[in-house]
Amino acid sequence: MGASFVAHVLFLLWFFATTFSFFCKAESNVTCNEKDKQALLNFKQGLSDPSKNLSSWSDQEDCSRWDRVVYDNKTGRVTELHLSDSRLGGEISGSLLQLEHLNLLDLSGNDFNCTPIPTFLGSMASLTHLDLGYSNFSGHIPHQLGNLSNLRHLNLGGNYYLYADNFHWISNLSSIQYLDLSNSKHQSEVGWLQIMSMFPSLSMLFASDCELVNLNPSLGFVNFTSLQYLDLFNNLFSHEIPNWFSNLTTSLLYLDLARNYLRGEIPTSIFNLQKLDSLFLYSNKIIGKIPESLGQLKHLTYLNMLDNSFSGPIPSSIGNLSYLEGLWLSENQLNGTIPKTIGLLSNLEYLFVGDNFLTGTVDEGHFTKLSKLEYLDISHTHLFFNVKSNWVPPFQLTTITMSSCKIGPNFPMWLQTQRSVRHLLLSKSEISDKAPGWFWNWTSNIKIIDLSDNQIEGDVSEIVLNSHFINLRSNHFKGQMPQLSTNVQELNIANNSISGPISSFMCQKMNRKNQVMVLDASNNLLTGALPHCWKYWQSLTHLDLGSNDISGRIPYSLGSLVALQSLHLQNNSISGDIPSSLKKCSNLSLIDIGENLLSGAIPPWIGEMTNLTILRLTSNGFKGHIPLQICQLSSLIVLDLANNSLSGHIPNCLKNISAMTIPTPRFEAQYSYDYLGGLYYYGGTYLENLKLVPKGLELEYEENLGFVKMIDLSSNNLSGSIPSEISVLSELCFLNLSRNQLIGKIPEKIGIMKKLESIDLSQNHLSGEIPLSLSSLTFLSRLNLSYNNLSGKIPLGSQLQTFDAFSYIGNPQLCGNPLPKNCTIGEESQNRTPIGKTEEDSNNSNFYIGMGVGFAVGFWTVCGVLFFNRTWRHAYFKFFDDMKDCIYVATVLNVNWLLEKLRSCHL
Ligand SMILES: *[C@@H]1O[C@H](CO)[C@@H](O)[C@H](O)[C@H]1NC(C)=O
Ligand SMILES: *[C@@H]1O[C@H](CO)[C@@H](O)[C@H](O)[C@H]1NC(C)=O
Ligand SMILES: *[C@@H]1O[C@H](CO)[C@@H](O)[C@H](O)[C@H]1NC(C)=O
Ligand SMILES: *[C@@H]1O[C@H](CO)[C@@H](O)[C@H](O)[C@H]1NC(C)=O
Ligand SMILES: *[C@@H]1O[C@H](CO)[C@@H](O)[C@H](O)[C@H]1NC(C)=O
Ligand SMILES: *[C@@H]1O[C@H](CO)[C@@H](O)[C@H](O)[C@H]1NC(C)=O
Ligand SMILES: *[C@@H]1O[C@H](CO)[C@@H](O)[C@H](O)[C@H]1NC(C)=O
Ligand SMILES: *[C@@H]1O[C@H](CO)[C@@H](O)[C@H](O)[C@H]1NC(C)=O
């Protein structure tokens, strides 16, 4: 849709220029035809007109004076009805048929409430121009429209629920010049191209989002003679781009094949389209090199081939495209250096070459004539941006996207010459230098700043931040926390050396009017107690003060943060108990207060926090029983209560935690680009981050957090047996019950928990035999049953033998491989069949025999430890438009981050 915009605008400009004159015409003394007047009054009667746009249509007034009606001043007959964007609805009366001289009927931009297009329109033989676009018509496109043989302009676009079985009806529209069928559905039509290509005067064809499947003409060639605009954006073409463009070499100006599934290389005939002005091929699966013949397209203004699989170098002939204003080549596999000829493109405004394998140096020479450049993306490449420190670039950029490409070690001083920057993305750019004195003041008009993962130094105590999104994570900033203007919505200053009492930042006068939603100051040197001025921080949705040196109690006033969705206070020295006020924060989906000095009981009201997904209370002094109410937390995926002094039984009801019994749904990234504007950004992409110890090793989870499903109750005083119901938690990946006082047997059906990657039951008093079903856990890569009273033979015939003896030691009565102790005949229990094991199960486990650890390791990312794909980058690292920043804030940050983001997640 976005790309066809230019064509639409051009056309509409022309159209209004030619028709506007009718409206400002001098008055005439020929009165309007009475029959036409009555017909229009009847037509008006059927319509709903809430905005009274047709109020001038009255019986008293001659219809020559009516708004939106054009009539012929010689005959008095009505010739045109301009009713677009009038909020009309209701019924379209057949009385229109009496307007025998009507040439133009424009009903676009209204709302006809999903009614079908009236068939009688096909009898209005005088029509040359029929516009029904974006008017919420639905149903079958009436084939009667095909009778309108004088029609030159037909717009049915933007009616998402229109469809047709075939295009045969169209073939009679012999005068058609402009045809817009966008968004109507034509999946079953395979011969459409042949039919379209028979119209001798067709010059504009818009068929985006039509579910068309085939771009090959059935006769093998096309016969377009006048086609100038061809928009086939967002269809279902999944073959190679056909080679029939040769017959369009002198006519075609605009070609949009973007967002399809096109494969193969670009056919050379495309480069013979001498007049081509816009070529959109983005988001396909096109491979091969971009040929040097690209330079033949002398009139090219927009070239967008983003998000394909182009390889090889950027052709140096690109310097011949002197009209080029927009070049989008990001997200391909281009390699080699950026040709210097790019510096000749004196009209270039958009240069997007990021996310490629480009190498070499970019220097002043690449920008010699780029005085109009506004948007630059060289991020995620191997490029070295190497310019002199006194360089004065010819351009004024608004968007600087240079993350993950080398800029440093020196701070890029040329930035100071740029006075219009709105987005500055310099993450991971190897800058290890002091931020210059002018820098912070210079940033005050920038909306999005990302300097994360560099080694930038400087004392930030005195600076005032004013940007919407500020990411300074993982640098060498020091001093006290900076001050924040009311514009700041997200500040991530984690992993620096910020010191001073947390309260002086939170309660400081200037910061009291803040609008901050996300504050991450974790991993710094902040000290003192949590203050009582949370009432100034009501916008907070995400707060992370983890890994500092904060002491004192959790203040009761923290409960005033009712918007809070995640709270991280882990790894500090916070003491006391969990204040009951916290239950007012009912949007909380993540609580991490592990590694503190907290004590008291786990409050039963925790069961009322129904959105809770992650609860981490590990390594504190919590006492008492695990409250049964915890089982009401149906969204819980991480329950980590390890290393406390909890006693009593493991609740039987854990089986009610449905998030651990149903798979994490697949993630459909909802992202969209405005490719014409071409701006797309990282911005405010705060990702939750949680350190867990799922398999004996500490791991940091970000994007993949939704796939971790774990219960860790280790190192407490829990007694009783492991409830057999636990086996219902079939999505659980990590189970750690070690270092408790548990007795009884390992649940027989543990083998149903197919996703288990790690089981640690060590250092309890478990007895009985190891259930055979354990051997069917094909993802299991860590097992620790040591130091219990288990007996009998370790089940054979699967990967249970791939774990070493340390998994089993300390069980004096256990025998068999891998333990050194051989089983005597008596100890060996033969023909043991696990309860509930079906034949199918055992076939499965036979199938996996022999794959052993290799298989398990290969697939252990079921629970997503090193999971990172393009979809996420699309969704979180790319955003497009200044104007959309605020929409972004509203939609991304206000969603309940985990539920919204991860419920719709897939692997
Ligand atoms: C009638 O319309 C024509 C063009 O459509 C215009 O040139 C002419 O001046 C008009 N005559 C009057 C009397 O308005
Ligand atoms: C229409 O008005 C014009 C002047 O505006 C006049 O010359 C002409 O005679 C009038 N014609 C009729 C039919 O009234
Ligand atoms: C192609 O179009 C031309 C001109 O409209 C016409 O003369 C010719 O017959 C057409 N060819 C075919 C095969 O339809
Ligand atoms: C171009 O059109 C002519 C008919 O007008 C046809 O014979 C020829 O095959 C077409 N060429 C291509 C490449 O489609
Ligand atoms: C680019 O990649 C191709 C194959 O992918 C390789 O043959 C070629 O040497 C690479 N060129 C450069 C300059 O790295
Ligand atoms: C930032 O610059 C403006 C004018 O350019 C000046 O008035 C202001 O004092 C500066 N602020 C700081 C903190 O240097
Ligand atoms: C839980 O989250 C949903 C959607 O994310 C939200 O509509 C609901 O209000 C939340 N529940 C509570 C108790 O906050
Ligand atoms: C265990 O049995 C194997 C053969 O089955 C034998 O080679 C080995 O010596 C025995 N080990 C002990 C400790 O009895």
Side-chain angles (χ1 to χ4, degrees), residues 151 261 370 440 445 450 550 597 605 694 716 787:
L151 211 56
Y261 303 89
L370 302 192
W440 296 109
N445 290 320
D450 185 358
I550 297 172
L597 306 169
W605 51 256
N716 279 290
Y787 300 101

mmCIF file with all atom_site columns, all heavy atoms in Angstrom, residues 151 261 370 440 445 450 550 597 605 694 716 787:
data_model
loop_
_atom_site.group_PDB
_atom_site.id
_atom_site.type_symbol
_atom_site.label_atom_id
_atom_site.label_alt_id
_atom_site.label_comp_id
_atom_site.label_asym_id
_atom_site.label_entity_id
_atom_site.label_seq_id
_atom_site.pdbx_PDB_ins_code
_atom_site.Cartn_x
_atom_site.Cartn_y
_atom_site.Cartn_z
_atom_site.occupancy
_atom_site.B_iso_or_equiv
_atom_site.pdbx_formal_charge
_atom_site.auth_seq_id
_atom_site.auth_comp_id
_atom_site.auth_asym_id
_atom_site.auth_atom_id
_atom_site.pdbx_PDB_model_num
ATOM 1   N N   . LEU A 1 151 ? -16.089 3.199   -19.744 1.00 0.00 ? 151 LEU A N   1
ATOM 2   C CA  . LEU A 1 151 ? -15.371 3.487   -18.502 1.00 0.00 ? 151 LEU A CA  1
ATOM 3   C C   . LEU A 1 151 ? -13.867 3.617   -18.754 1.00 0.00 ? 151 LEU A C   1
ATOM 4   O O   . LEU A 1 151 ? -13.243 2.744   -19.350 1.00 0.00 ? 151 LEU A O   1
ATOM 5   C CB  . LEU A 1 151 ? -15.642 2.349   -17.507 1.00 0.00 ? 151 LEU A CB  1
ATOM 6   C CG  . LEU A 1 151 ? -15.644 2.697   -16.026 1.00 0.00 ? 151 LEU A CG  1
ATOM 7   C CD1 . LEU A 1 151 ? -16.642 3.792   -15.729 1.00 0.00 ? 151 LEU A CD1 1
ATOM 8   C CD2 . LEU A 1 151 ? -15.975 1.456   -15.214 1.00 0.00 ? 151 LEU A CD2 1
ATOM 9   N N   . TYR A 1 261 ? 6.539   -13.378 -2.655  1.00 0.00 ? 261 TYR A N   1
ATOM 10  C CA  . TYR A 1 261 ? 7.483   -14.442 -2.316  1.00 0.00 ? 261 TYR A CA  1
ATOM 11  C C   . TYR A 1 261 ? 8.328   -14.744 -3.542  1.00 0.00 ? 261 TYR A C   1
ATOM 12  O O   . TYR A 1 261 ? 8.663   -15.899 -3.813  1.00 0.00 ? 261 TYR A O   1
ATOM 13  C CB  . TYR A 1 261 ? 6.718   -15.685 -1.845  1.00 0.00 ? 261 TYR A CB  1
ATOM 14  C CG  . TYR A 1 261 ? 5.823   -15.402 -0.673  1.00 0.00 ? 261 TYR A CG  1
ATOM 15  C CD1 . TYR A 1 261 ? 4.507   -14.975 -0.862  1.00 0.00 ? 261 TYR A CD1 1
ATOM 16  C CD2 . TYR A 1 261 ? 6.301   -15.518 0.626   1.00 0.00 ? 261 TYR A CD2 1
ATOM 17  C CE1 . TYR A 1 261 ? 3.692   -14.689 0.212   1.00 0.00 ? 261 TYR A CE1 1
ATOM 18  C CE2 . TYR A 1 261 ? 5.485   -15.231 1.707   1.00 0.00 ? 261 TYR A CE2 1
ATOM 19  C CZ  . TYR A 1 261 ? 4.181   -14.816 1.499   1.00 0.00 ? 261 TYR A CZ  1
ATOM 20  O OH  . TYR A 1 261 ? 3.380   -14.519 2.571   1.00 0.00 ? 261 TYR A OH  1
ATOM 21  N N   . LEU A 1 370 ? 26.480  14.394  -1.496  1.00 0.00 ? 370 LEU A N   1
ATOM 22  C CA  . LEU A 1 370 ? 25.208  13.990  -0.881  1.00 0.00 ? 370 LEU A CA  1
ATOM 23  C C   . LEU A 1 370 ? 24.658  15.097  0.020   1.00 0.00 ? 370 LEU A C   1
ATOM 24  O O   . LEU A 1 370 ? 24.406  14.882  1.206   1.00 0.00 ? 370 LEU A O   1
ATOM 25  C CB  . LEU A 1 370 ? 25.382  12.689  -0.100  1.00 0.00 ? 370 LEU A CB  1
ATOM 26  C CG  . LEU A 1 370 ? 25.903  11.488  -0.884  1.00 0.00 ? 370 LEU A CG  1
ATOM 27  C CD1 . LEU A 1 370 ? 25.759  10.212  -0.071  1.00 0.00 ? 370 LEU A CD1 1
ATOM 28  C CD2 . LEU A 1 370 ? 25.166  11.321  -2.188  1.00 0.00 ? 370 LEU A CD2 1
ATOM 29  N N   . TRP A 1 440 ? 25.982  16.480  25.316  1.00 0.00 ? 440 TRP A N   1
ATOM 30  C CA  . TRP A 1 440 ? 24.668  16.286  25.945  1.00 0.00 ? 440 TRP A CA  1
ATOM 31  C C   . TRP A 1 440 ? 23.717  17.412  25.594  1.00 0.00 ? 440 TRP A C   1
ATOM 32  O O   . TRP A 1 440 ? 22.539  17.183  25.333  1.00 0.00 ? 440 TRP A O   1
ATOM 33  C CB  . TRP A 1 440 ? 24.809  16.130  27.458  1.00 0.00 ? 440 TRP A CB  1
ATOM 34  C CG  . TRP A 1 440 ? 25.590  14.900  27.791  1.00 0.00 ? 440 TRP A CG  1
ATOM 35  C CD1 . TRP A 1 440 ? 26.847  14.848  28.293  1.00 0.00 ? 440 TRP A CD1 1
ATOM 36  C CD2 . TRP A 1 440 ? 25.169  13.548  27.582  1.00 0.00 ? 440 TRP A CD2 1
ATOM 37  N NE1 . TRP A 1 440 ? 27.247  13.543  28.412  1.00 0.00 ? 440 TRP A NE1 1
ATOM 38  C CE2 . TRP A 1 440 ? 26.243  12.721  27.988  1.00 0.00 ? 440 TRP A CE2 1
ATOM 39  C CE3 . TRP A 1 440 ? 24.023  12.941  27.087  1.00 0.00 ? 440 TRP A CE3 1
ATOM 40  C CZ2 . TRP A 1 440 ? 26.190  11.333  27.929  1.00 0.00 ? 440 TRP A CZ2 1
ATOM 41  C CZ3 . TRP A 1 440 ? 23.960  11.557  27.026  1.00 0.00 ? 440 TRP A CZ3 1
ATOM 42  C CH2 . TRP A 1 440 ? 25.040  10.770  27.443  1.00 0.00 ? 440 TRP A CH2 1
ATOM 43  N N   . ASN A 1 445 ? 17.510  17.867  21.381  1.00 0.00 ? 445 ASN A N   1
ATOM 44  C CA  . ASN A 1 445 ? 16.356  17.784  20.465  1.00 0.00 ? 445 ASN A CA  1
ATOM 45  C C   . ASN A 1 445 ? 16.205  16.417  19.809  1.00 0.00 ? 445 ASN A C   1
ATOM 46  O O   . ASN A 1 445 ? 15.333  16.229  18.960  1.00 0.00 ? 445 ASN A O   1
ATOM 47  C CB  . ASN A 1 445 ? 16.473  18.847  19.376  1.00 0.00 ? 445 ASN A CB  1
ATOM 48  C CG  . ASN A 1 445 ? 16.272  20.224  19.960  1.00 0.00 ? 445 ASN A CG  1
ATOM 49  O OD1 . ASN A 1 445 ? 15.409  20.420  20.811  1.00 0.00 ? 445 ASN A OD1 1
ATOM 50  N ND2 . ASN A 1 445 ? 17.100  21.163  19.533  1.00 0.00 ? 445 ASN A ND2 1
ATOM 51  N N   . ASP A 1 450 ? 20.583  5.919   21.100  1.00 0.00 ? 450 ASP A N   1
ATOM 52  C CA  . ASP A 1 450 ? 21.088  4.618   21.556  1.00 0.00 ? 450 ASP A CA  1
ATOM 53  C C   . ASP A 1 450 ? 22.600  4.615   21.440  1.00 0.00 ? 450 ASP A C   1
ATOM 54  O O   . ASP A 1 450 ? 23.146  4.570   20.347  1.00 0.00 ? 450 ASP A O   1
ATOM 55  C CB  . ASP A 1 450 ? 20.478  3.494   20.715  1.00 0.00 ? 450 ASP A CB  1
ATOM 56  C CG  . ASP A 1 450 ? 20.891  2.123   21.244  1.00 0.00 ? 450 ASP A CG  1
ATOM 57  O OD1 . ASP A 1 450 ? 21.666  2.072   22.230  1.00 0.00 ? 450 ASP A OD1 1
ATOM 58  O OD2 . ASP A 1 450 ? 20.450  1.111   20.678  1.00 0.00 ? 450 ASP A OD2 1
ATOM 59  N N   . ILE A 1 550 ? 21.641  -1.234  47.131  1.00 0.00 ? 550 ILE A N   1
ATOM 60  C CA  . ILE A 1 550 ? 20.492  -0.619  47.785  1.00 0.00 ? 550 ILE A CA  1
ATOM 61  C C   . ILE A 1 550 ? 20.141  -1.421  49.041  1.00 0.00 ? 550 ILE A C   1
ATOM 62  O O   . ILE A 1 550 ? 20.140  -2.655  49.013  1.00 0.00 ? 550 ILE A O   1
ATOM 63  C CB  . ILE A 1 550 ? 19.303  -0.555  46.808  1.00 0.00 ? 550 ILE A CB  1
ATOM 64  C CG1 . ILE A 1 550 ? 19.690  0.343   45.625  1.00 0.00 ? 550 ILE A CG1 1
ATOM 65  C CG2 . ILE A 1 550 ? 18.051  -0.029  47.495  1.00 0.00 ? 550 ILE A CG2 1
ATOM 66  C CD1 . ILE A 1 550 ? 18.715  0.346   44.502  1.00 0.00 ? 550 ILE A CD1 1
ATOM 67  N N   . LEU A 1 597 ? 17.981  -9.622  51.352  1.00 0.00 ? 597 LEU A N   1
ATOM 68  C CA  . LEU A 1 597 ? 17.930  -10.101 52.735  1.00 0.00 ? 597 LEU A CA  1
ATOM 69  C C   . LEU A 1 597 ? 16.487  -10.122 53.220  1.00 0.00 ? 597 LEU A C   1
ATOM 70  O O   . LEU A 1 597 ? 16.204  -9.911  54.389  1.00 0.00 ? 597 LEU A O   1
ATOM 71  C CB  . LEU A 1 597 ? 18.780  -9.177  53.627  1.00 0.00 ? 597 LEU A CB  1
ATOM 72  C CG  . LEU A 1 597 ? 20.223  -8.979  53.155  1.00 0.00 ? 597 LEU A CG  1
ATOM 73  C CD1 . LEU A 1 597 ? 20.912  -7.851  53.931  1.00 0.00 ? 597 LEU A CD1 1
ATOM 74  C CD2 . LEU A 1 597 ? 20.998  -10.285 53.310  1.00 0.00 ? 597 LEU A CD2 1
ATOM 75  N N   . TRP A 1 605 ? -1.638  -13.284 49.237  1.00 0.00 ? 605 TRP A N   1
ATOM 76  C CA  . TRP A 1 605 ? -2.297  -12.446 48.219  1.00 0.00 ? 605 TRP A CA  1
ATOM 77  C C   . TRP A 1 605 ? -1.578  -12.459 46.890  1.00 0.00 ? 605 TRP A C   1
ATOM 78  O O   . TRP A 1 605 ? -2.076  -11.965 45.892  1.00 0.00 ? 605 TRP A O   1
ATOM 79  C CB  . TRP A 1 605 ? -2.501  -11.016 48.718  1.00 0.00 ? 605 TRP A CB  1
ATOM 80  C CG  . TRP A 1 605 ? -1.278  -10.327 49.281  1.00 0.00 ? 605 TRP A CG  1
ATOM 81  C CD1 . TRP A 1 605 ? -1.004  -10.109 50.594  1.00 0.00 ? 605 TRP A CD1 1
ATOM 82  C CD2 . TRP A 1 605 ? -0.179  -9.764  48.554  1.00 0.00 ? 605 TRP A CD2 1
ATOM 83  N NE1 . TRP A 1 605 ? 0.190   -9.451  50.745  1.00 0.00 ? 605 TRP A NE1 1
ATOM 84  C CE2 . TRP A 1 605 ? 0.717   -9.229  49.498  1.00 0.00 ? 605 TRP A CE2 1
ATOM 85  C CE3 . TRP A 1 605 ? 0.150   -9.666  47.195  1.00 0.00 ? 605 TRP A CE3 1
ATOM 86  C CZ2 . TRP A 1 605 ? 1.925   -8.612  49.141  1.00 0.00 ? 605 TRP A CZ2 1
ATOM 87  C CZ3 . TRP A 1 605 ? 1.346   -9.043  46.841  1.00 0.00 ? 605 TRP A CZ3 1
ATOM 88  C CH2 . TRP A 1 605 ? 2.213   -8.530  47.813  1.00 0.00 ? 605 TRP A CH2 1
ATOM 89  N N   . PRO A 1 694 ? 19.066  -22.099 35.129  1.00 0.00 ? 694 PRO A N   1
ATOM 90  C CA  . PRO A 1 694 ? 18.181  -23.213 34.822  1.00 0.00 ? 694 PRO A CA  1
ATOM 91  C C   . PRO A 1 694 ? 18.885  -24.566 34.866  1.00 0.00 ? 694 PRO A C   1
ATOM 92  O O   . PRO A 1 694 ? 18.276  -25.574 35.175  1.00 0.00 ? 694 PRO A O   1
ATOM 93  C CB  . PRO A 1 694 ? 17.677  -22.906 33.422  1.00 0.00 ? 694 PRO A CB  1
ATOM 94  C CG  . PRO A 1 694 ? 18.739  -22.066 32.817  1.00 0.00 ? 694 PRO A CG  1
ATOM 95  C CD  . PRO A 1 694 ? 19.343  -21.294 33.943  1.00 0.00 ? 694 PRO A CD  1
ATOM 96  N N   . ASN A 1 716 ? 15.772  -25.502 50.140  1.00 0.00 ? 716 ASN A N   1
ATOM 97  C CA  . ASN A 1 716 ? 14.835  -25.090 51.174  1.00 0.00 ? 716 ASN A CA  1
ATOM 98  C C   . ASN A 1 716 ? 14.717  -26.245 52.160  1.00 0.00 ? 716 ASN A C   1
ATOM 99  O O   . ASN A 1 716 ? 15.576  -27.137 52.172  1.00 0.00 ? 716 ASN A O   1
ATOM 100 C CB  . ASN A 1 716 ? 13.476  -24.752 50.543  1.00 0.00 ? 716 ASN A CB  1
ATOM 101 C CG  . ASN A 1 716 ? 13.466  -23.355 49.949  1.00 0.00 ? 716 ASN A CG  1
ATOM 102 O OD1 . ASN A 1 716 ? 13.495  -22.373 50.676  1.00 0.00 ? 716 ASN A OD1 1
ATOM 103 N ND2 . ASN A 1 716 ? 13.440  -23.275 48.621  1.00 0.00 ? 716 ASN A ND2 1
ATOM 104 N N   . TYR A 1 787 ? 22.913  -38.405 45.661  1.00 0.00 ? 787 TYR A N   1
ATOM 105 C CA  . TYR A 1 787 ? 22.683  -38.273 47.102  1.00 0.00 ? 787 TYR A CA  1
ATOM 106 C C   . TYR A 1 787 ? 21.217  -38.341 47.483  1.00 0.00 ? 787 TYR A C   1
ATOM 107 O O   . TYR A 1 787 ? 20.624  -37.400 47.988  1.00 0.00 ? 787 TYR A O   1
ATOM 108 C CB  . TYR A 1 787 ? 23.380  -37.003 47.647  1.00 0.00 ? 787 TYR A CB  1
ATOM 109 C CG  . TYR A 1 787 ? 24.864  -37.075 47.395  1.00 0.00 ? 787 TYR A CG  1
ATOM 110 C CD1 . TYR A 1 787 ? 25.448  -36.388 46.339  1.00 0.00 ? 787 TYR A CD1 1
ATOM 111 C CD2 . TYR A 1 787 ? 25.660  -37.914 48.175  1.00 0.00 ? 787 TYR A CD2 1
ATOM 112 C CE1 . TYR A 1 787 ? 26.794  -36.511 46.064  1.00 0.00 ? 787 TYR A CE1 1
ATOM 113 C CE2 . TYR A 1 787 ? 27.016  -38.043 47.907  1.00 0.00 ? 787 TYR A CE2 1
ATOM 114 C CZ  . TYR A 1 787 ? 27.579  -37.341 46.858  1.00 0.00 ? 787 TYR A CZ  1
ATOM 115 O OH  . TYR A 1 787 ? 28.908  -37.484 46.586  1.00 0.00 ? 787 TYR A OH  1
#
